[in-house]
Structures are given as structure tokens and as C-alpha cells.
């Protein structure tokens, strides 16, 4: 289950905000990990590097694809998670605790104003998963409607024969 105390992005990163210190912990969601599956490599910035909101800060590679990791906010990297760099299975086991990627000293926490709550993110994921399914369901319904229309025409002809 996804934690309620995090913020989420459309690019499937999560953010845990410490408003007092303005240090934010960033990771990728369980959904992103599941979609990538079979992780083989990750590249993260080092402490002292700067990141910019909306820009890639690294890459994660699976046997399927290489995907950019996007920073949800601007700031200086305070720490990268060496445990993840050494063992990507950490992400598979626990994307939200042990699987964090970066800690960033945020320049401006208001950059997170558009980030989603857990509930909003859950709905977003459902809409992404359901996108193809909804189209398939629509196509099936259209086919069924066409078949029913054809049957109705036959019924009309039968009715006319009875008269």
C-alpha cells in the first residue's frame, strides 16, 4: 500500500517532505518498479550535484527499457542511496522505505504544489492502467451494438413476413 504522507508525480516519483529542514526524500513508486520489472542498472547524481524541477536527474534501466528519473523539485543533492546503487532488488522489495533514491535540500517547496496526494495518484494509476482497457471495452461494445442492430433488422423482416 502506498503511504499517505507522500506526494506523487505523473512521472511516478514520490516525495517525502520534511518542511522543517526542507530536505526531501525522493524515490520511484511501486507502480513504476512493477512496470519496469527486471531492473539491471541505475544512475543517480552524487551529493553536491544540483537538480532542477521537471528535469531528469538519472536513469533506471530494466531488461525492457531505459527510463529517465525526473526531479520533482530543484535543489542540491544531499545524499544518494548507495544501498539501491549496489542492489536494485531493494526497489522491488520496498520502493517506499529502503528503496528511496535521493535526499535533496529543496530550493523551493512550492514546486510541489502540483504534486498529487496518494488518493489522486491511485486514481491516476488506475486511469493509466485502464486507458487501453477502456478502448478495448468500447470496441467490444460497438461490435455488440452492430451485432444487435443486425439482429433487429432480421426481426423486422420476420415481423413483416407475419403480416
Amino acid at each position: 500500500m502506498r503511504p499517505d504522507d507522500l506526494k506523487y508525480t505523473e512521472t511516478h516519483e514520490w516525495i517525502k517532505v520534511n518542511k522543517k529542514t526542507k530536505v526531501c526524500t525522493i524515490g520511484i513508486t511501486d507502480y513504476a518498479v512493477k512496470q519496469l520489472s527486471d531492473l539491471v542498472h541505475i544512475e543517480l547524481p552524487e551529493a553536491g550535484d544540483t537538480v532542477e524541477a521537471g528535469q531528469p536527474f538519472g536513469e533506471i534501466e530494466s531488461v525492457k527499457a531505459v527510463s529517465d528519473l525526473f526531479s520533482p523539485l530543484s535543489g542540491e543533492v544531499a545524499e544518494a542511496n548507495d544501498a539501491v546503487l549496489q542492489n536494485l532488488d531493494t526497489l522491488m522489495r520496498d520502493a517506499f522505505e529502503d528503496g528511496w533514491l535521493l535526499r535533496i535540500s529543496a530550493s523551493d517547496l512550492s514546486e510541489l504544489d502540483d504534486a498529487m496526494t496518494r488518493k489522486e495518484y491511485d486514481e491516476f494509476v488506475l486511469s493509466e492502467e485502464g486507458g487501453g482497457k477502456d478502448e478495448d471495452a468500447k470496441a467490444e461494445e460497438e461490435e455488440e451494438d452492430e451485432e444487435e442492430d443486425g439482429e433487429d433488422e432480421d426481426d423486422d423482416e420476420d415481423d413483416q413476413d407475419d403480416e
Side-chain angles (χ1 to χ4, degrees), residues 96-135:
F96 296 107
E97 289 293 327
D98 296 337
W100 62 274
L101 301 178
L102 297 179
R103 291 205 169 107
I104 294 176
S105 296
S107 304
D108 182 5
L109 290 178
S110 71
E111 291 175 327
L112 296 175
D113 288 349
D114 292 334
M116 294 178 267
T117 64
R118 184 205 45 87
K119 184 178 178 188
E120 291 168 333
Y121 181 72
D122 289 348
E123 290 170 0
F124 174 74
V125 167
L126 282 174
S127 72
E128 278 202 339
E129 286 179 337
K133 292 178 187 173
D134 290 343
E135 293 302 315

Side-chain angles (χ1 to χ4, degrees), residues 15-28:
I15 310 98
K16 184 171 190 166
V17 179
N18 182 325
K19 291 182 181 177
K20 190 175 183 179
T21 65
K22 290 178 73 174
V23 172
C24 298
T25 304
I26 298 171
I28 61 172

Side-chain angles (χ1 to χ4, degrees), residues 47-144:
D49 290 349
T50 57
V51 294
E52 188 177 329
Q55 296 301 309
F57 66 78
E59 292 182 338
I60 190 163
E61 183 178 346
S62 73
V63 294
K64 289 183 182 180
V66 176
S67 299
D68 284 329
L69 300 166
F70 291 92
S71 183
L73 46 88
S74 301
E76 183 177 319
V77 176
E79 183 181 5
N81 189 346
D82 288 334
V84 169
L85 289 168
Q86 294 171 13
N87 185 358
L88 289 171
D89 288 341
T90 305
L91 285 170
M92 298 297 278
R93 282 192 316 273
D94 187 0
F96 296 107
E97 289 293 327
D98 296 337
W100 62 274
L101 301 178
L102 297 179
R103 291 205 169 107
I104 294 176
S105 296
S107 304
D108 182 5
L109 290 178
S110 71
E111 291 175 327
L112 296 175
D113 288 349
D114 292 334
M116 294 178 267
T117 64
R118 184 205 45 87
K119 184 178 178 188
E120 291 168 333
Y121 181 72
D122 289 348
E123 290 170 0
F124 174 74
V125 167
L126 282 174
S127 72
E128 278 202 339
E129 286 179 337
K133 292 178 187 173
D134 290 343
E135 293 302 315
D136 292 343
K138 287 179 188 175
E140 285 178 24
E141 285 177 16
E142 288 174 5
E143 286 177 20
E144 288 173 8

